[in-house]
């Protein structure tokens, strides 16, 4: 067997297997770009060696066989696929060939996005939808009528004067928003996610139970016709699309008309720029001669029309190998596994890293070092590993995998603190907590962990926490980058010279020279103000301190509750989960967060350092029962007040015994609405909750009495 014959045989077997997995099993083993490259190589070899051609070659086929379990449908008009163009030169060649045969220098084309879904044919008789079928092998498809009836974008009866027979061709697809929402539900419940929207659409239509198809968010765009009986065909393809819209079919709003090769390439660039913002996935654009008589004159080759072509975008999926798996710690402490990859071009960008999302995802994928994986990148979205190509997993001489499954570390790789599994709460009652499936592994060393340092400092210095005026993100970035602070307690050791030196180093790094230096003098007022603001923040309150510590799920309201319930910090730090649950408005999840935070030695060390630095707050006895005329009342403030700030109004209401909440619910007793009140006021009105304006609030504060 010659080398060419051997390679042709290899390519045919690989393409047939890929076709079967893609079209029948809905379980693609290779990305589209790799399939296209193999098909083009096979086409070139068969053209160079015509004696090796065979009628059953993948180059002569449109799709794959029919899935067992569905009735077969013979298409009255074959559903052919399109030839592909991957370069501007190929588009110019396509137009030049048409121009030469038609004798027209710049023919007109109907142009549209190439949807990445599943091609189908819909048959209507006397205006009623009677049958829907997949493309199948182009001549015979699968009868998926009942599943298609669940797709609301497909009309069950045509609008207007309907032909006796009409077959409409189009694409069933899964919108991106629906795809993301569906996968989010699957992840929460611990079930298998969809690889991509195209797989979601194809797999949905191949469900034997229509109820399963109905549960998935599918849509449809029409793009052409099959059999039309005696219906008079419009003279242009663009007119066909307008007629389909009149019959009630959705048509892509990006459909347009372009003239000549330059017009086609301009459209390609335009859609390419819009691609990431479209509500559906596309993998290219399609050019079709607009005039029906010109289409007829150009005719067909064995597997595709000569009057149309698909101009493909750079692939958003590619195969590569995993060289290592590392765990990164995010700004909130969440641990994310990241695959270090052999460099690969995906969507025009060299990708060397891809997210594996979380522990549940890496377990579902079973990604291991050395694996061949399919990586996807769409626009500016972080590349992600979609699936493992199991057949290419490296094995030893006995067929066993060379590498063991990945195991998460027991401690934070950044600081060594304990790792906790944070699960999303679905429902919380006194009887217990109902969690979603799956969990996010999170570092508990919030005040100590270097990976969380910047976020911890920004929160600590914020207005409602320690209120260090002027210490914003820009300065905090530099303080951390140049290693002036490791924890929030280190802020209180900073001197004027530290800030001036930090600013000088930051300016040198960024290549900037301050205006004050250009003028021959060094400004120090900003640094003096920061030193003063840090010193002033030493005198605080217990509730501000508790909020500033950044304990997960402990907001202003919870911090206030803890400060009043215990009166001092040490009892809060010593409180058990069981005792914390007894506090009003603190459930088992928040109790777990508080107790876990103070159980971490690193966090206790930082608190001790804050005390040693002179941070202080008044402590008093516990205030277990609210007193005053508003005891037991829940109030929400929204909009802006003219006589006082919302914080001042809230403090006065709390002094009268009220609980000031941040959101409106059925438990809210009344809402105080100032100027430009928004959604909270709307919700209060919808729920029938009493609303006070500022005048009524001021009148009540002047003469409070029980409500």
């Amino acid at each position: 067997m010659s080398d060419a014959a051997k390679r042709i045989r290899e390519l045919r077997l690989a393409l047939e297997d890929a076709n079967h997995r893609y079209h029948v099993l809905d379980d693609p083993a290779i990305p589209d770009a790799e399939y296209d490259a193999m098909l083009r190589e096979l086409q070139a070899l068969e053209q160079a060696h015509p004696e090796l051609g065979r009628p059953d070659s993948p180059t002569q086929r449109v799709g794959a066989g029919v899935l067992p379990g569905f009735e077969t449908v013979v298409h009255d008009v074959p559903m052919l696929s399109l030839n592909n163009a991957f370069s501007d030169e190929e588009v110019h060649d396509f137009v030049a060939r048409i121009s030469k045969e038609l004798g027209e220098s710049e023919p007109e084309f109907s142009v549209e996005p190439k949807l990445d879904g599943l091609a189908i044919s819909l048959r209507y008789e006397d205006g009623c939808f009677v049958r829907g079928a997949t493309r199948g092998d182009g001549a015979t498809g699968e009868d998926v009528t009942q599943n298609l009836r669940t797709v609301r974008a497909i009309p069950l009866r045509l609008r207007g004067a309907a032909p006796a027979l009409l077959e409409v061709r189009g694409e069933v697809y899964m919108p991106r928003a629906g795809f993301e929402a569906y996968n989010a539900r699957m992840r929460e419940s611990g079930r298998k996610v969809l690889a991509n929207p195209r797989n979601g659409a194809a797999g949905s239509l191949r469900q034997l139970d229509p109820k399963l198809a109905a549960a998935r968010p599918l849509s449809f765009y029409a793009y052409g016709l099959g059999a039309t009986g005696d219906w008079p065909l419009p003279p242009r393809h663009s007119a066909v699309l307008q007629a389909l819209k009149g019959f009630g079919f959705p048509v892509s709003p990006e459909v347009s008309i372009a003239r000549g090769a330059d017009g086609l390439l301009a459209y390609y660039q335009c859609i390419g720029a819009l691609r990431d913002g479209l509500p559906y996935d596309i993998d290219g654009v399609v050019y079709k001669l607009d005039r029906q008589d010109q289409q007829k004159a150009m005719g067909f080759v064995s597997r595709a029309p000569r009057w149309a072509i698909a101009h493909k975008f750079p692939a958003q999926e590619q195969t590569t190998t995993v060289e290592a798996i590392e765990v990164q710690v995010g700004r909130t402490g969440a641990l994310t596994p990241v695959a270090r990859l052999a460099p690969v071009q995906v969507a025009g960008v060299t990708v060397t890293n891809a997210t594996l999302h979380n522990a549940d995802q890496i377990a579902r994928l079973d990604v291991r070092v050395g694996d061949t994986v399919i990586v996807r990148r769409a626009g500016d979205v972080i590349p992600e590993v979609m699936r493992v190509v199991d057949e290419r997993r490296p094995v030893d001489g006995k067929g066993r995998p060379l590498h063991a499954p990945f195991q998460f570390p027991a401690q934070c790789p950044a600081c060594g603190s304990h790792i906790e599994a944070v699960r999303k709460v679905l429902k919380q009652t006194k009887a217990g907590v109902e969690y979603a499936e799956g969990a996010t592994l999170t570092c508990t060393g919030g005040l100590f962990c270097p990976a969380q340092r910047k976020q911890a400092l920004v929160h600590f210095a914020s207005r409602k926490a320690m209120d260090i005026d002027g210490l914003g993100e820009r300065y905090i970035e530099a303080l951390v980058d140049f290693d002036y602070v490791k924890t929030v307690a280190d802020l209180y050791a900073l001197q004027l010279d530290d800030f001036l030196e930090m600013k000088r180093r930051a300016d040198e790094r960024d290549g900037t020279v301050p205006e004050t230096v250009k003028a021959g003098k060094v400004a120090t007022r900003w640094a003096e103000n920061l030193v003063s603001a840090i010193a002033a923040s030493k005198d605080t309150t217990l509730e501000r301190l508790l909020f500033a510590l950044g304990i997960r799920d402990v907001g202003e309201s919870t911090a206030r509750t803890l400060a009043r319930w215990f009166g001092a910090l040490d009892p809060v730090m010593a409180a058990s989960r069981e005792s914390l649950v007894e506090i009003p408005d603190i459930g088992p999840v928040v109790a777990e967060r508080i107790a876990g935070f103070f159980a971490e030695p690193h966090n206790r060390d930082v608190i001790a350092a804050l005390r040693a630095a002179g941070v202080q707050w008044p402590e008093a006895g516990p205030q277990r029962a609210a007193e005053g005329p508003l005891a037991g009342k829940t109030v929400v403030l929204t909009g802006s007040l003219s006589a006082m700030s919302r914080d001042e109004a809230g403090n006065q209401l709390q002094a009268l015994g009220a609980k000031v909440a941040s959101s409106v619910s059925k438990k809210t007793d009344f809402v105080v609405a100032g100027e430009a009140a928004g959604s909270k006021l709307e919700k209060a009105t919808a729920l029938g909750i009493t609303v006070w304006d500022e005048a009524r609030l001021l009148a009540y504060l002047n003469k409070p009495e029980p409500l």
Side-chain angles (χ1 to χ4, degrees):
M1 181 183 294
S2 67
D3 290 344
K6 182 179 179 181
R7 181 57 179 162
I8 285 174
R9 183 175 182 277
E10 290 173 351
L11 288 169
R12 285 172 178 165
L13 290 173
L15 288 166
E16 283 294 342
D17 179 68
N19 268 332
H20 179 72
R21 297 191 63 147
Y22 188 92
H23 292 282
V24 178
L25 302 181
D26 292 319
D27 185 29
I30 59 175
D32 290 349
E34 189 170 334
Y35 179 94
D36 289 336
M38 288 194 296
L39 184 62
R40 288 162 73 86
E41 182 183 354
L42 180 57
Q43 287 172 329
L45 285 170
E46 289 181 347
Q47 289 173 3
H49 302 276
E51 72 278 9
L52 297 177
R54 286 176 50 172
D56 62 348
S57 171
T59 60
Q60 306 302 310
R61 295 171 57 120
V62 176
V66 176
L67 182 72
F70 290 103
E71 296 292 329
T72 59
V73 172
V74 177
H75 299 299
D76 291 345
V77 176
M79 292 185 69
L80 301 180
S81 60
L82 300 174
N83 286 325
N84 294 323
F86 293 89
S87 68
D88 293 0
E89 182 181 3
E90 289 176 298
V91 175
H92 278 286
D93 290 343
F94 166 71
V95 175
R97 184 169 60 252
I98 290 175
S99 297
K100 181 179 179 181
E101 293 198 28
L102 296 179
E104 185 172 340
S105 60
E106 288 195 325
E108 280 192 332
F109 293 87
S110 177
V111 291
E112 62 195 61
K114 185 177 182 297
L115 292 155
D116 198 10
L118 185 69
I120 61 165
S121 180
L122 307 173
R123 184 180 180 91
Y124 290 80
E125 295 178 1
D126 295 324
C128 291
F129 176 52
V130 296
R131 189 180 68 200
T134 64
R135 172 184 282 140
D137 63 3
T140 304
E142 306 153 3
D143 187 335
V144 289
T145 305
Q146 297 307 312
N147 286 341
L148 288 171
R149 288 183 183 277
T150 70
V151 181
R152 297 194 176 192
I154 295 174
L156 299 181
R157 176 176 287 276
L158 301 183
R159 299 171 66 90
L165 171 63
L166 188 69
E167 284 187 352
V168 178
R169 304 283 166 80
E171 199 93 356
V172 168
Y173 66 95
M174 185 174 287
R176 287 176 175 173
F179 168 77
E180 296 295 342
Y182 180 87
N183 271 358
R185 292 196 301 271
M186 294 303 101
R187 288 191 183 102
E188 286 183 1
S189 61
R191 289 181 285 174
K192 183 179 179 181
V193 298
L194 300 173
N196 52 52
R198 189 270 161 198
N199 259 54
S204 299
L205 290 187
R206 290 194 171 103
Q207 298 291 331
L208 293 176
D209 183 356
K211 292 180 181 178
L212 299 177
R216 293 187 179 180
L218 300 178
S219 195
F220 171 77
Y221 275 141
Y223 56 62
L225 296 173
T228 58
D230 58 1
W231 184 59
L233 195 66
R236 289 179 176 267
H237 179 72
S238 53
V240 168
L241 297 180
Q242 288 300 315
L244 290 176
K245 289 174 70 174
F247 288 139
F249 292 98
V251 173
S252 171
E254 282 71 41
V255 168
S256 187
I257 297 291
R259 183 183 289 276
D262 290 342
L264 298 185
L265 294 175
Y267 180 78
Y268 177 84
Q269 295 297 330
C270 176
I271 296 298
L274 297 174
R275 183 185 188 186
D276 298 333
L278 293 175
Y280 48 81
D281 273 5
I282 61 174
D283 58 2
V285 296
V286 176
Y287 312 135
K288 302 173 183 176
L289 271 173
D290 195 38
R291 283 172 47 181
Q292 301 282 6
D293 61 331
Q294 291 181 340
Q295 291 185 10
K296 187 175 182 180
M298 290 301 300
F300 297 81
V301 292
S302 59
R303 64 183 298 271
R306 298 178 66 238
W307 44 265
I309 198 168
H311 191 180
K312 302 290 282 289
F313 288 130
Q316 291 185 305
E317 292 185 0
Q318 285 286 13
T319 52
T320 186
T321 55
V322 178
E323 297 182 338
I325 299 175
E326 299 175 1
V327 175
Q328 292 182 342
V329 185
R331 290 165 64 92
T332 63
L335 273 62
T336 302
V338 176
R340 305 299 183 195
L341 307 170
V344 62
Q345 282 279 323
V346 186
V349 174
T350 300
V351 171
T352 56
N353 304 316
T355 180
L356 293 165
H357 290 294
N358 52 41
D360 296 310
Q361 179 75 347
I362 198 172
R364 279 194 294 269
L365 293 171
D366 188 23
V367 182
R368 308 185 189 189
V369 173
D371 277 350
T372 296
V373 294
I374 295 177
V375 180
R376 178 176 175 84
R377 177 186 179 273
D380 294 328
V381 177
I382 298 171
E384 60 179 327
V385 174
M386 302 304 299
R387 57 161 292 165
V388 174
V389 183
D390 294 325
E391 307 88 84
R392 301 187 190 180
R393 172 167 284 167
V395 295
D396 61 17
K398 295 183 179 180
R400 296 173 299 193
L402 285 178
H403 301 281
F406 177 77
Q407 297 292 325
F408 263 81
Q411 295 176 314
C412 173
C415 70
S417 297
H418 172 68
I419 292 173
E420 68 174 354
V422 178
R423 294 185 291 168
K424 182 178 179 181
V425 177
L426 296 178
K427 188 177 181 181
Q428 187 174 178
T429 65
K430 290 184 178 180
V433 183
E434 180 182 342
Y435 294 97
E437 294 290 334
T440 299
L441 299 181
T442 305
C443 167
T444 59
L447 294 177
F448 175 80
C449 182
Q452 302 175 67
R453 190 174 298 160
K454 291 179 182 178
Q455 179 162 303
L457 286 164
V458 169
H459 176 74
F460 186 83
S462 63
R463 182 173 63 86
K464 294 185 177 181
M466 300 301 286
D467 194 20
I468 304 178
D469 187 35
L471 188 61
E473 289 192 40
R474 183 166 62 96
Y475 289 133
I476 287 173
E477 290 272 352
L479 286 170
V480 172
D481 290 346
F482 296 118
D483 210 27
Y484 284 93
V485 294
K486 291 183 172 62
T487 75
V488 295
D490 294 337
L491 290 172
Y492 295 96
L494 294 172
Q495 303 296 318
L496 180 65
D497 289 343
D498 294 322
F499 281 110
L500 295 176
E501 177 69 10
M502 175 206 75
K503 186 68 165 58
R504 182 189 63 78
R505 293 173 67 183
D507 289 339
E508 287 178 353
R509 179 191 63 185
D510 300 337
T512 60
V513 179
E515 292 297 325
T516 50
V517 173
K518 292 179 183 178
K521 58 182 179 180
V522 178
T524 61
R525 178 62 60 85
W526 65 271
E528 292 167 354
N529 289 342
L530 279 175
V531 171
S532 298
I534 291 172
S537 73
K538 290 182 179 181
D539 292 316
T540 187
T541 64
L542 179 56
E543 64 186 63
R544 277 184 174 272
L545 176 72
L546 288 170
F547 178 59
L549 294 178
I551 306 168
R552 184 182 294 272
D553 293 333
V554 174
E556 296 173 75
S557 178
T558 303
R560 188 180 305 116
T561 298
L562 288 170
R564 292 185 175 185
W565 186 266
F566 290 101
L569 180 60
D570 288 339
V572 180
M573 296 175 64
S576 66
R577 293 165 178 79
E578 293 74 21
S579 62
L580 288 165
V581 173
E582 298 300 318
I583 302 173
D585 300 322
I586 293 183
V589 173
V590 177
E592 182 77 23
R593 302 277 194 269
I594 297 167
F597 179 89
F598 289 115
E600 182 59 56
H602 294 315
N603 293 333
R604 299 176 75 94
D605 291 343
V606 173
I607 291 169
L610 286 171
R611 279 173 157 160
V615 177
Q616 58 186 359
W617 52 91
E619 295 190 334
Q623 301 175 40
R624 297 295 172 89
E627 299 177 357
L630 293 180
K633 301 294 183 181
T634 299
V635 185
V636 173
L637 292 142
T638 183
S640 58
L641 305 175
S642 57
M644 66 187 77
S645 69
R646 286 219 312 249
D647 285 346
E648 291 170 333
N651 290 335
Q652 291 195 44
L653 290 168
Q654 289 166 13
L656 297 173
K659 174 187 175 183
V660 177
S662 59
S663 60
V664 177
S665 70
K666 292 180 180 179
K667 296 181 180 179
T668 305
D669 291 287
F670 65 92
V671 170
V672 177
E675 291 293 326
S679 59
K680 292 179 183 178
L681 175 58
E682 293 175 1
K683 186 173 182 180
T685 303
L687 293 174
I689 294 169
T690 301
V691 177
W692 289 11
D693 59 15
E694 184 172 1
R696 184 173 178 183
L697 171 67
L698 294 174
Y700 181 82
L701 293 177
N702 186 52
K703 190 178 180 181
E705 58 185 21
L707 296 179

